Amino acid sequence: MSKNAIIIGGGHNGLACAAYLAKSGHKVTVLEASEHLGGLGATREFAPGFRASVAHTLPQLDRKLVADLDLEKHGFALAVDDLPTIALGLNGEHITITASGLQGACDEDTAAYPEYQRLLRRFAGAIKPFNSKRPPRIESGSKGDLLTLGQFGWNLRTLGKSDMREMMRMIALPARDLVDEFFASPLLKGALSWDANVGSRLAPRSPNNAMLALLLRMSGDLSVGLPLPRGGVGGLTEALAAAARAMGVEFRTSARVEQVLIEEGRATGVRLADGELIAADVVVSNADPKTSFIDLLGARHLDVQFTHRINRLRTGGMVAKLHLALDALPEFTGLANPIGRLLLTRDMDAIENAFDAAKYGSFAPELPMEVIIPSLADDSLAPAGKHVLSAQVQYAPYDLKGGWDARRDEFLEAALNSLAAYAPNIRDCISSVELLTPADLEQQFNARGGHWHHAEYAIDNWWVQRPTYGASQYQSPVTGFYLCGAGSHPGGGIMGLAGANAARAVMEDN
Ligand SMILES: Cc1cc2nc3c(=O)[nH]c(=O)nc-3n(C[C@H](O)[C@H](O)[C@H](O)COP(=O)(O)OP(=O)(O)OC[C@H]3O[C@@H](n4cnc5c(N)ncnc54)[C@H](O)[C@@H]3O)c2cc1C
């Protein structure tokens, strides 16, 4: 039966959820607090003529979402299909990593890489189908839930005895132990450990969670390598919005939801910050779990233990985003053409040292980062002859001692110094700077703690426990109130799967 659904938040997951619900005949309104749609995946002008999005590449997106919602017809395209990853050496000797192997590495590492890739791809492949399914209820006894659990076991079993044992062993390894087993080069190891740790409160020596994050990051299939969207990630979110609009979804921006309305234990609509009341049969929140449950719903509607679990979610972000408007292309030592994902991750100790400082509320003088210059492949992002540099900078603790207002310039200096170690003329090229700290990301993008995954992505908040038990099937403890954002299964990163799965959950339950 057709329902009136409200989606709180127009991030890419909210947009995907809206589109799938509208496609199946529901009447959907998206209420977005910001002036623009897209959340952390929006492309915005940060200096006159220069545009960038907080998320910048699409390793996790798969073809199904693009095909289901006909996103190419609505403007989605890739600027580069397979962006190479280049581990920059301080001495100008670099290692290039592509889907087909390594260049510039020693013979031993070049020979070891295919087996490393084969194993990880196989493990990611075993888990991937469950990213697009509603997690099962462990004790429900329903046929669907039992089937999903059975399929999970079966997928692990069909890895074969040897790979299955390896997966069970490797899943709990710190990234450092994993790459130490395969490789010799400190530069290569630093670069490979980045994908296991970026976006989380993790560094190479952190136990237990890195493999999960790495496998999640390897779950996309839009290309064999690293896809760079045209128009920034906004190219995707604008296509999602256009597809949803074509299916009849209504959008309201600058419409902050302040309260989810509850009558007799079920969600009946929302109240906006300006006091307007909007009724609905179903309310779906793309906001992070703490905002959704504590601020918008209110602890009084929830069981005390459930509220404690939500309050305990780790939501302090560790990644800052740096956007530079460049009058000229910087020269990276020993790199003729900086087209690629440049990893300034000298070795695992340098990454670990930066994390150590952040763990105790500070930051290191040398900050590891991932840099792309998307304007090299996409002229829609900068004026002719000029460029945009987009960098994810770790580790920038949300709860910085002394506060971000007081220490923003100091952090920016550390980031620019870290960049200048590889591109000595970088400062001469810059015409404008945007630094988004986790505190800025929280304030400007309404993502609690500025966290990449809205809440830490870790074994205690994974799959049937994401964001916590009692809400891991998108349905919350309050009838008619659902979650659809990165805080839900399968987690953060641009995938649209939390949105798509939540839409399916709404359809199944109503
Ligand atoms: C610095 C950084 C870099 C990243 N880089 C990448 C990358 O390169 N590739 C990648 O795949 N992922 C990346 N990520 C992760 C990715 O951006 C996020 O996981 C993803 O955008 C989450 O999408 P979402 O739709 O669930 O939530 P969001 O994008 O956070 O959207 C939620 C929306 O809800 C709105 N909202 C919140 N509260 C309310 C309210 N009360 N009323 C109305 N609206 C509300 C917000 O304004 C927002 O628009 C990065 C994250 C960060 C922080």
Side-chain angles (χ1 to χ4, degrees), residues 7-15 31-34 36-42 53-61 199 217 233 255-258 272 285-288 291 296 319-321 370 391-393 436 441 444-447 450-454 484-487 491-495 498:
I7 314 281
I8 304 173
H12 85 288
N13 275 316
L15 297 172
L31 302 170
E32 167 55 51
S34 319
H36 51 76
L37 297 169
L40 294 164
S53 50
V54 171
H56 60 200
T57 58
L58 298 176
Q60 291 164 234
L61 193 66
R217 214 185 137 93
V233 172
R256 178 180 294 278
V257 173
E258 200 170 66
L272 300 186
S285 178
N286 182 198
D288 61 89
T291 300
L296 301 183
V319 189
K321 193 69 203 297
E370 165 178 323
Q392 298 162 356
V393 186
L436 296 167
L441 293 168
Q444 295 178 35
F445 293 83
N446 306 299
H451 198 293
W452 182 295
H453 295 277
H454 283 188
C484 75
I494 305 290
M495 290 179 278

Side-chain angles (χ1 to χ4, degrees), residues 10-13 15-16 19 35-45 51-53 58 61 65 69-77 229-247 251 253 378 380-381 494:
H12 85 288
N13 275 316
L15 297 172
E35 288 166 8
H36 51 76
L37 297 169
L40 294 164
T43 299
R44 315 120 55 243
E45 191 172 60
R51 301 161 69 233
S53 50
L58 298 176
L61 193 66
L65 180 91
L69 301 177
D70 220 352
L71 296 184
E72 283 168 356
K73 191 183 114 196
H74 293 285
F76 172 66
R230 183 161 173 81
V233 172
L236 173 73
T237 53
E238 283 156 30
L240 276 168
R245 198 170 277 117
M247 290 168 202
F251 292 101
T253 50
D378 182 350
S380 72
L381 299 176
I494 305 290

Side-chain angles (χ1 to χ4, degrees), residues 188-220:
L188 179 65
K189 290 194 279 189
L192 293 175
S193 72
W194 177 259
D195 282 345
N197 297 318
V198 65
S200 302
R201 294 178 83 85
L202 294 174
R205 287 181 193 274
S206 310
N208 289 340
N209 304 319
M211 274 284 287
L212 279 183
L214 184 57
L215 298 183
L216 177 71
R217 214 185 137 93
M218 294 181 73
S219 60

